[in-house]
Amino acid sequence: MNTITGKTVILVNGVPASGKSSVAREIANRFQLPYLTLDEVKEPFMAMLAPVDRATNRQLGKAAYAAIWSAVAQAPLRCVYVIDAWFGFQPLALLQEHLRQAGVSNVLEVWNQIDGERVAARYKARIPQRPSGHPGEEYLPDLRALAERATPLGLGPLWQCDQNSPLDYPALFEWLEAQLTLSQPANARVRLQAANQAAG
């Protein structure tokens, strides 16, 4: 694939409540990149259509997923997006088709690994703050099991964040900077380096 003319996506992946959003925001801020997250696209529709049951929530999630890739498709060539989602909730083949249609040629994955008990505790703690329509405590057994079997996508270079321990953001940023430099032409590398120096 052409890593010079195509777009790049940084997929911040992991099961619900695994810490994806915090990591994605740190990456977007550090590299001054546009940031898309599934819940931020979906939740305004949940509010408009309230009350929303779990089946409708899943349908809205699928629509939000399609909307994210539509936005990436409209972006200029060589654009870099940070995208925060649990990518395992849709078939891998569908993601690959979205990537193709959006003109993405470079996929970087930041995987958030977490154990079942820890992720269940995080999810339970945030239930009172979440909009109605998201699954409640009845989802915790499924989430524990999901956390134990979930794995990265394996579509490109991979960085694994161990959410059971303090995160090493400097090492993550160094890895991303190297990967982004490889994916950009010379003029974009200059802009990336300038942004990094300003953020540093």
Side-chain angles (χ1 to χ4, degrees):
M1 290 184 292
N2 189 341
T3 59
I4 298 299
T5 60
K7 301 165 194 175
T8 296
V9 291
I10 302 170
L11 305 183
V12 183
N13 192 15
V15 302
S18 61
K20 302 183 301 298
S21 296
S22 296
V23 172
R25 283 192 294 267
E26 291 286 346
I27 292 170
N29 290 336
R30 176 66 176 81
F31 294 98
Q32 300 179 28
L33 296 173
Y35 165 45
L36 294 170
T37 174
L38 194 70
D39 280 349
E40 291 297 326
V41 175
K42 179 177 69 171
E43 287 179 353
F45 294 95
M46 293 175 65
M48 290 288 291
L49 298 173
V52 171
D53 60 18
R54 187 167 179 182
T56 304
N57 180 16
R58 286 189 62 83
Q59 289 301 110
L60 290 173
K62 292 176 182 179
Y65 192 68
I68 282 174
W69 292 112
S70 179
V72 175
Q74 300 304 313
L77 294 177
R78 294 191 287 272
C79 186
V80 181
Y81 269 104
V82 179
I83 303 176
D84 157 17
W86 161 227
F87 289 95
F89 95 107
Q90 290 284 275
L92 181 60
L94 178 61
L95 173 58
Q96 291 172 312
E97 180 61 16
H98 280 310
L99 293 168
R100 186 191 66 78
Q101 292 183 354
V104 174
S105 62
N106 191 41
V107 178
L108 307 177
E109 183 177 4
V110 178
W111 171 251
N112 292 271
Q113 183 67 43
I114 190 168
D115 68 52
E117 290 305 316
R118 185 180 297 268
V119 79
R122 286 186 182 181
Y123 190 94
K124 183 176 180 179
R126 74 183 195 181
I127 288 173
Q129 287 76 46
R130 304 206 79 191
S132 61
H134 286 289
E137 290 194 31
E138 74 282 357
Y139 178 55
L140 296 181
D142 291 342
L143 181 58
R144 288 189 188 94
L146 179 62
E148 299 301 333
R149 68 173 185 270
T151 57
L153 296 164
L155 294 178
L158 172 69
W159 181 270
Q160 298 207 46
C161 290
D162 182 0
Q163 289 280 350
N164 301 303
S165 304
L167 298 185
D168 187 350
Y169 278 112
L172 169 59
F173 294 155
E174 182 178 355
W175 178 80
L176 281 170
E177 184 171 355
Q179 296 297 326
L180 292 171
T181 299
L182 288 173
S183 73
Q184 301 299 311
N187 60 340
R189 291 177 192 173
V190 171
R191 292 195 298 271
L192 176 64
Q193 289 167 357
N196 290 342
Q197 289 170 359

